[in-house]
């Protein structure tokens, strides 16, 4: 069974989206979860329909949060309301804090990752090595998926 996931991000954070995608790619083999992210320029023909369909078909949503993300009208006005609606119906939504910003009003009760063992919530870009921040993010997403869906690796 293939489970679909959606990665919400702004194109200014494309490198961070790629890093997140690389870290969750093994979930396809471990759990049958495949993530999709729009990689085209916003505003392309059929783009809004494709994104809306991807959000609707997904049951896991990763939000790559940065100041650019919370400043993006399309994200705030279109994607987040649709994703929050899916959350109210049982979907798993995980905010990933990439850099310090005003994130709380946009995620509501959803706690972001990554959480550092000693420092608490620590944006990926604030880790001494960003790769450690992305790896902690992957570990915490994996734990959330296993708990939410009662899954174990194949």
């Amino acid at each position: 069974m293939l489970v679909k996931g959606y990665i919400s991000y702004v194109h200014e954070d494309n490198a961070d989206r790629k890093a997140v995608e690389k870290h969750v790619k093994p979930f396809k083999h471990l759990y049958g979860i495949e993530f999709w992210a729009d990689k085209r320029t916003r505003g392309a023909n059929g783009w809004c329909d494709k994104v809306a369909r991807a959000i609707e078909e997904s049951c896991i949503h990763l939000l790559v949060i940065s100041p650019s993300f919370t400043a993006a009208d399309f994200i705030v006005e279109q994607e987040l309301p649709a994703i929050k609606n899916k959350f109210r119906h049982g979907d798993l939504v995980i905010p990933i804090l990439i850099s310090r910003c005003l994130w709380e009003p946009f995620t509501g009760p959803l706690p972001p990752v990554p959480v550092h063992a000693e420092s608490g919530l620590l944006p990926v870009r604030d880790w001494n090595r960003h790769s450690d921040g992305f790896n902690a993010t992957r570990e915490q997403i994996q734990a959330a998926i296993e708990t939410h869906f009662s899954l174990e690796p194949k």
Side-chain angles (χ1 to χ4, degrees), residues 69-137:
F69 181 90
T70 59
D73 292 338
F74 189 85
I75 295 283
V76 173
E77 296 168 5
Q78 303 293 322
E79 287 191 26
L80 285 179
I83 292 169
K84 285 179 181 179
N85 185 53
K86 296 281 307 226
F87 171 71
R88 284 191 290 275
H89 290 93
D91 281 18
L92 178 61
V93 179
I94 303 173
I96 302 166
L97 193 58
I98 296 299
S99 58
R100 294 177 187 271
C101 63
L102 177 64
W103 56 269
E104 296 94 335
F106 302 97
T107 64
L110 302 170
V113 298
V115 175
H116 187 276
E118 296 169 5
S119 307
L121 178 62
L122 189 63
V124 171
R125 292 182 189 160
D126 287 358
W127 289 64
N128 288 334
R129 293 183 345 183
H130 294 172
S131 62
D132 291 341
F134 282 114
N135 191 55
T137 296

Side-chain angles (χ1 to χ4, degrees), residues 7-27 35 37-39 62-65 96-99 113-114 123-125 127 129-139 141:
I7 301 175
S8 178
Y9 76 106
V10 293
H11 288 270
E12 290 91 341
D13 297 328
N14 192 46
D16 297 308
R17 186 266 313 156
K18 285 181 177 179
V20 168
E21 216 166 25
K22 179 173 58 175
H23 280 82
V24 299
K25 180 78 173 176
F27 295 174
F35 286 91
D38 162 55
K39 297 170 186 89
L62 305 180
L63 313 177
V64 181
I65 299 180
I96 302 166
L97 193 58
I98 296 299
S99 58
V113 298
V124 171
R125 292 182 189 160
W127 289 64
R129 293 183 345 183
H130 294 172
S131 62
D132 291 341
F134 282 114
N135 191 55
T137 296
R138 191 257 326 140
E139 289 173 348
I141 291 170

Side-chain angles (χ1 to χ4, degrees), residues 24-80:
V24 299
K25 180 78 173 176
F27 295 174
K28 180 177 181 181
H29 304 290
L30 293 173
Y31 310 105
I33 299 170
E34 190 163 39
F35 286 91
W36 183 85
D38 162 55
K39 297 170 186 89
R40 294 174 17 157
T41 303
R42 307 251 173 193
N45 276 347
W47 178 82
C48 290
D49 291 340
K50 238 181 176 174
V51 169
R53 191 173 329 108
I55 291 170
E56 185 57 37
E57 292 175 353
S58 296
C59 60
I60 304 169
H61 309 270
L62 305 180
L63 313 177
V64 181
I65 299 180
S66 69
S68 297
F69 181 90
T70 59
D73 292 338
F74 189 85
I75 295 283
V76 173
E77 296 168 5
Q78 303 293 322
E79 287 191 26
L80 285 179

